[in-house]
Structure formats: C-alpha cells, structure tokens
Amino acid sequence: MDSCIPSNLLERVSLSDIENEARDFALCNGVVFRSKSLTSDNVVEQAPITIFPSPFPRKYFELSLSMQQDVNLLMHRISFNHAFLKASLERTISVDEFTKNLFEVYERVEKEGQSQPINFNLLRADYMLDTKKEELELKQVEVNTIAAGFAIMGPKLSQFHHHIVSKYGRPDDLKSLPENKCDYQFARAFIDAWEVYGKPGSIILFVIEDTRTLNISDQRSMEFRISELRPDVKVVRRTFAQLIECAKLKDNQRLMIDHNDEVAIVYFRYGYAPDHYPSSEYWSLRHLIERSRALKCPSLNGQLAGVKKIQQIICNKDILEKFIDTKAAERMHRTFAGIWSLDKTEEGDSNYNKILQQPSNYVLKPQREGGANNIYGENIRKFLLNVESLDTREAYIAMDYIRPPVVVNLISSPIKLSEGNSLFRQIDSELGIFGTILGDTNSIIMNREAGHVLRSKRICYNEGGVSSGQGVIDSPYLF
Ligand code: ADP
Ligand code: MG
C-alpha cells in the first residue's frame, strides 16, 4: 500500500480547501512552531504536517510497541554499568571533546557518590522500515535518551488524521488509526517520578534553550498536561544561564532555585550539544545538578547510554544479552542495522576499507544529537580519505543505510514547496516509540511503553528535521 488518500478525493474537495482545513486545524490545536522570520514571541505558524496518515504495516508497528519496555530496560541497565560505559567510551572520549566533558562530570559524581540513586527517563526509540531484503524489515535508527521531542505533537497529529479520515475516508478506515496518548503518558511519568521524590511543594524544572524556543507547543503543552493531572505540581522553565545565577545545593544536596524552590525533577530539553555549554561555568552547573538529590531526566549516565558509540557496541548480540534476557535480546537484535566501528584497530581498518568501496550503503554518525550531523553518500568518501591518518575517525560510527518504502501523501507546510504547486509528495517515514522508566540499580519502579509519533520526510532529503522544514509530522495508517 503506497497511500491511503481516497481515490475520488479530488472529485469531492479542492486541494486548496483541504490545505486550508489542515492549516486551520494545526493553528487551532497548537500544531505550531514559533515563527523564525517574525521574531515576536506572539507569532506562531503551523508545523509542517501530512494531510493523511501514512501507511505503516501493523505487524511492525505492534512489534516496535512490544519491544519498548525492553528498550527502556536496556538503556536503564547500561546507564548503571559504570565499567561498561567506561570501557566502551574510552577511545571516543580521547577524540571527542564533548563526550569527554560529559564523561568527566559523570565520573566526578560517581567518585563523590551519588545522592540520588534513582534514574528517571523519557525515551524515544526510532525505527525505519528497510526494503533491501525481499521481505520488509523493521530497523532501529537510534534510541534518544535526552530531550526526546514530539510527545505532544504525536497525539495531535493522530487527532487531526482521525478528523480527516472521518470526513474523507471510509468508515472502516478509522480502525487503522491507533490510539496515541503519549502526552498524558509522559505527564503521568513526571508525576510518578515527582511522587517518588516525595516532597510536597517541590517543583519540576524544565531546562530550556538560551534562545527563543521555537518548538513551544511541544514543550509548554507538556507543562499544561502535568498541571491538568496534578494542579499542585508546578513546572518552572529556566535556561542554563539563569540557573548559573540562581541554582544552589542546600541541606543534603537538595537542589534549590529562585527563592528557595526545591527541585524534584530536572528535565533537560537542552544540554545535548557542545554549543549548549559555551564556558566552564555551564559545565560546573551541570555538575551541580548532577550531584544534587533531584531526579534528572536524564542523569548523565542515561545520556551517555544513548550515544552512538554504545549503539554500535551493543550490536554484538553477546554484549546485548548481558543487559536483557536472551529472548528479548534476540528479538531486538533483529531490528539492529549493521553498525561498524571506525576505530584504529584491525577491525576498524577493514570496516574503513569496506565503506570506502561503497559509501552510499552507509551513514557516518558522530556522537551528536539533534539532527544534521551525519555524513552521507560521496561525502563519506571525501571525509574518510581526509581522516585516514587521524584519530578523528574514532569519533564516528558507520551504519548500514536503511532504504525505507516510499509512500505518497499530501503535505501542508508553511514553507513554500519548491517543485510545482501540487501538494502531493513522495515521502518516507520514521516511527518513534516513546517509553518511560524509573528505578535504581536493583529495582524498577515504573517501566512503560508510552505512545508514538511518525515523522516523514520527502525522499529527496537524507534527514527530516521538522523545524528545519525537511520533515513533516505524520501518523500511521496501519494495514
Ligand atoms: P540524530 O541524533 O541527529 O537524530 P539519527 O541517528 O537519528 O541522529 O539520524 C538523523 C536522521 O538521519 C534520521 O532521522 C534519519 O532520517 C537519517 N538516518 C539515520 N540513520 C540512517 C540510516 N541508517 N539509514 C538511512 N537514514 C538514516
Ligand atoms: Mg534521531
């Protein structure tokens, strides 16, 4: 199935009517970003979206949901395994300054002794379908362990597509739209974690970017969901720069901000890229937060568990089995694409030569989050030829290129689409499954699968950043 757009749609409705309807739904329901061009905080524009849900095989959708608790557990257990993190990242931190800085703060706190033994995380595992073999395969792209976005936009798109399919589709089509409540599931997880912290009146701190927040609906609405479920739990949003001024530790490592507000949870929507830490004061602040008694979402060990080097290392099934049971490991391992080390070892050299022969079969990835960091196609060859004699190679991993199926959909975007005026586009999709976990090194307090988001991109792009305009928010039509 390459589309679920009804074949007689254009006999019933004009494209401009349906485009207006999509835009207005987006504007009326907070499927919006702050405008980049108009810098008033009071101006938003619709986020780019698909007008119909995109087809996604039910079998693989259900498989990805059913694996999420294992994915949560895997990342949780890796984050508590100091020896494994240290051994796995040893070479990476010798060449990658940012990972080294993260690791140093983490190790310092390990040595000083943790004042909060419990880890809390809100994750998103991303998958694409691969068409390279005769039968489709589900392949994991990555697991995001910090600032996993779209937990608000995911359900909003499900709601929009429910409206569109009710209006223009066949009645049975609604059965193909899965329920999606990740907004409330994340909010519930925040409340679970807040209760575990156990101090009435304590607050949840959202650490946000130093610049204008463009993805405001996804961030703010999470706060609104929390207050809807628990009006007594307050969220405060602060930048690193503000926290440098006002955060301190008091009475047994309690994190206090502003006028003595005790922080129960620090939720990082920021802090995952080198330029988020422009001076040593920022690293000192991260250290202060890390050694506090507040729950961190994520703790530094959780953030480190999500780096791409770790993803490469756990591709080895024997290593994977150290963290989750054999059956779960076998099932998950089948969703791993080949990921290859570029270390300066015999194995790394052989991978290097193999990739140089067929660069278009791979993606090179540094230890970064947030999109637009990877290297593709012919640029891989150029890059590898330049770094052959340098250690820089060790900061990257290479992943087999996934070739997802192409589907057709209508796109509604505030950005003018370049080719022609038609809204029809060929796109491919990446499914994100959310998960929430809370526990210490011995026991799990909460571990749940928590909904989904589908993001699609036009096939002419390698990556589909939604706020940068290449990607669109979507939802799955199961078949
Ligand atoms: P980031 O941490 O920057 O999000 P990702 O590993 O998710 O890094 O890669 C960014 C994007 O690149 C993905 O959303 C996907 O569109 C594309 N991509 C990543 N890995 C692959 C792959 N193996 N094959 C094809 N596309 C990929
Ligand atoms: Mg990603």
Side-chain angles (χ1 to χ4, degrees), residues 126 142 144 430:
D126 290 335
E142 64 160 343
N144 300 278
E430 183 170 346

Side-chain angles (χ1 to χ4, degrees), residues 124 126 141-144 308 365 368-372 374 430 455 463:
R124 197 189 68 223
D126 290 335
V141 176
E142 64 160 343
V143 180
N144 300 278
K308 275 137 185 124
K365 302 189 182 185
R368 292 289 174 275
E369 298 300 322
N374 299 342
E430 183 170 346
R455 288 169 304 144
E463 293 191 21

Side-chain angles (χ1 to χ4, degrees), residues 415-443:
I415 300 162
K416 274 269 157 285
L417 301 174
S418 47
E419 320 101 53
N421 289 323
S422 169
L423 308 175
F424 287 92
R425 287 289 181 273
Q426 288 191 310
I427 57 171
D428 54 47
S429 303
E430 183 170 346
L431 177 68
I433 306 294
F434 294 102
T436 61
I437 187 157
L438 183 68
D440 63 16
T441 183
N442 300 313
S443 60

Side-chain angles (χ1 to χ4, degrees), residues 334-385:
R334 281 197 287 275
T335 69
F336 289 175
I339 307 186
W340 314 97
S341 154
L342 288 171
D343 288 351
K344 299 220 81 170
T345 56
E346 211 173 296
E347 189 194 336
D349 285 344
S350 136
N351 292 337
Y352 174 92
N353 288 322
K354 179 179 73 177
I355 294 160
L356 212 46
Q357 299 305 311
Q358 293 281 340
S360 59
N361 288 346
Y362 302 93
V363 188
L364 291 199
K365 302 189 182 185
Q367 312 306 309
R368 292 289 174 275
E369 298 300 322
N373 298 302
N374 299 342
I375 306 176
Y376 298 89
E378 268 313 301
N379 288 334
I380 293 181
R381 199 192 299 271
K382 282 187 214 148
F383 175 82
L384 287 183
L385 289 174

Side-chain angles (χ1 to χ4, degrees), residues 78-114:
I78 291 174
S79 66
F80 278 112
N81 193 327
H82 176 253
F84 177 72
L85 285 176
K86 194 175 167 74
S88 305
L89 295 175
E90 199 173 16
R91 299 180 86 103
T92 310
I93 61 179
S94 70
V95 290
D96 187 86
E97 181 77 15
F98 179 61
T99 314
K100 177 171 158 245
N101 287 335
L102 291 173
F103 196 83
E104 274 181 5
V105 177
Y106 155 67
E107 280 235 294
R108 248 176 95 185
V109 177
E110 281 291 298
K111 286 198 185 106
E112 289 161 2
Q114 270 286 354

